[in-house]
Amino acid sequence: IYKSKLILEGGAILTDGCGTLIATEPSIMGAGRNSHLERSEVEKTLCHFLGVRKVIWLPRGAVNDETGGHVDNICAISEPGRVLLSWPVDDNSEEAIIAREVHDILSSQMDAHGRSFEVVKVPEPSPLVITKEEASTIVPRKHSLPRHPGDKVPASHVNFYISNRFVILPVFGGDTDDKAINIVGQCFPNREVIPIMSREIAIGGGNIHCIT
C-alpha cells in the first residue's frame, strides 16, 4: 500500500530524477504540515517514498509567499547538477538576502552523485503591487491571505512547468521577461520556451508550477 503520513504539496519539493531532492524547511516542517515530526524522520520518509538518496534543506522561501515558502518560487532544476535560482535585482532587499543564502548552500553542497551544483541566476521581477481594481475582484477564502490595494506579492520566473517538449514560463510584462526567456532557453536547448503572462496567477498565490 502506497501510503505516507507526510503532508506534502508538489511545489514543496524539487528533484533531479537522479536521487537528489531540494526543499525549504517551512513548507514541509512548518505548522499545518509536519511540525510534529523530526526532520530526520521526514527526510527518511522522503527518501523511501520518492527514491531519493540526498535531501538538501533551504532555510526559507520567498518573502510574503502564501504557500509557506515553497521551493518552486525560488529555484528550479533544469538537469542533474544545475539549479536555476531566482536572483533579485535589488541587492539590499530581503529577497536578495534569501537568494544569497540559497546560493551559498547550493554552492557548498554536492548532489546524490557527488557533483557540485552549477547555479544559474535568473533575474527576479520586482514584487507585484496589487491594484485597487485587482483587490476588489478577489474572492476571499477561509485560509487565504487578504489582498489589499498596495500589497506586494512575490513574482518569479523560475516557477515554470517542464513538459516533454516545452517549458511554460511565467512572465509579467517587465524588463526581466526577455532575460529570463533567454536564460531558461539556454538551459533547456531541447525544449521550446513558451512565456505566459502570469500576473493574475501570482496575485492569486503561487504560479504556473504551483497550479500544475
Side-chain angles (χ1 to χ4, degrees):
I1 297 175
Y2 194 88
K3 186 176 181 180
S4 170
K5 57 186 176 183
L6 291 186
I7 296 173
L8 185 70
E9 303 93 42
I13 59 172
L14 298 173
T15 61
D16 65 356
C18 293
T20 308
L21 183 146
I22 303 175
T24 63
E25 292 194 33
S27 67
I28 295 183
M29 300 302 303
R33 271 97 171 199
N34 308 288
S35 57
H36 59 292
L37 301 174
E38 295 293 330
R39 197 176 82 168
S40 59
E41 186 178 359
V42 171
E43 191 167 318
K44 182 178 179 181
T45 304
L46 289 170
C47 290
H48 174 69
F49 279 93
L50 300 177
V52 297
R53 299 192 299 281
K54 181 167 185 176
V55 178
I56 298 174
W57 293 97
L58 306 178
R60 48 184 172 162
V63 178
N64 296 329
D65 188 351
E66 189 174 42
T67 67
H70 276 183
V71 69
D72 63 359
N73 236 5
I74 57 175
C75 59
I77 298 174
S78 63
E79 62 181 84
R82 179 188 286 157
V83 177
L84 282 69
L85 174 60
S86 187
W87 196 260
V89 177
D90 182 0
D91 290 337
N92 298 315
S93 63
E94 186 178 355
E95 290 84 0
I97 294 173
I98 294 172
R100 287 194 292 269
E101 286 178 350
V102 174
H103 186 276
D104 290 347
I105 291 170
L106 294 176
S107 297
S108 63
Q109 290 274 359
M110 302 286 185
D111 69 7
H113 289 268
R115 292 174 292 224
S116 298
F117 287 100
E118 175 192 359
V119 181
V120 179
K121 297 177 182 178
V122 180
E124 181 174 290
S126 299
L128 304 180
V129 178
I130 299 178
T131 66
K132 182 177 180 179
E133 181 182 6
E134 288 168 333
S136 67
T137 62
I138 296 173
V139 179
R141 294 287 186 258
K142 182 178 180 180
H143 298 293
S144 64
L145 293 176
R147 267 74 169 177
H148 303 298
D151 285 349
K152 293 181 179 180
V153 296
S156 173
H157 293 297
V158 301
N159 201 312
F160 51 70
Y161 173 73
I162 309 166
S163 74
N164 291 336
R165 295 174 52 199
F166 308 105
V167 177
I168 312 302
L169 181 77
V171 294
F172 305 92
D175 56 5
T176 60
D177 288 354
D178 289 341
K179 296 176 183 177
I181 293 169
N182 182 53
I183 293 170
V184 173
Q186 291 177 16
C187 292
F188 291 92
N190 297 321
R191 289 177 173 85
E192 179 184 353
V193 177
I194 299 181
I196 300 291
M197 290 298 294
S198 299
R199 179 182 177 91
E200 290 188 35
I201 304 175
I203 291 175
N207 218 284
I208 291 175
H209 186 272
C210 294
I211 66 173
T212 54

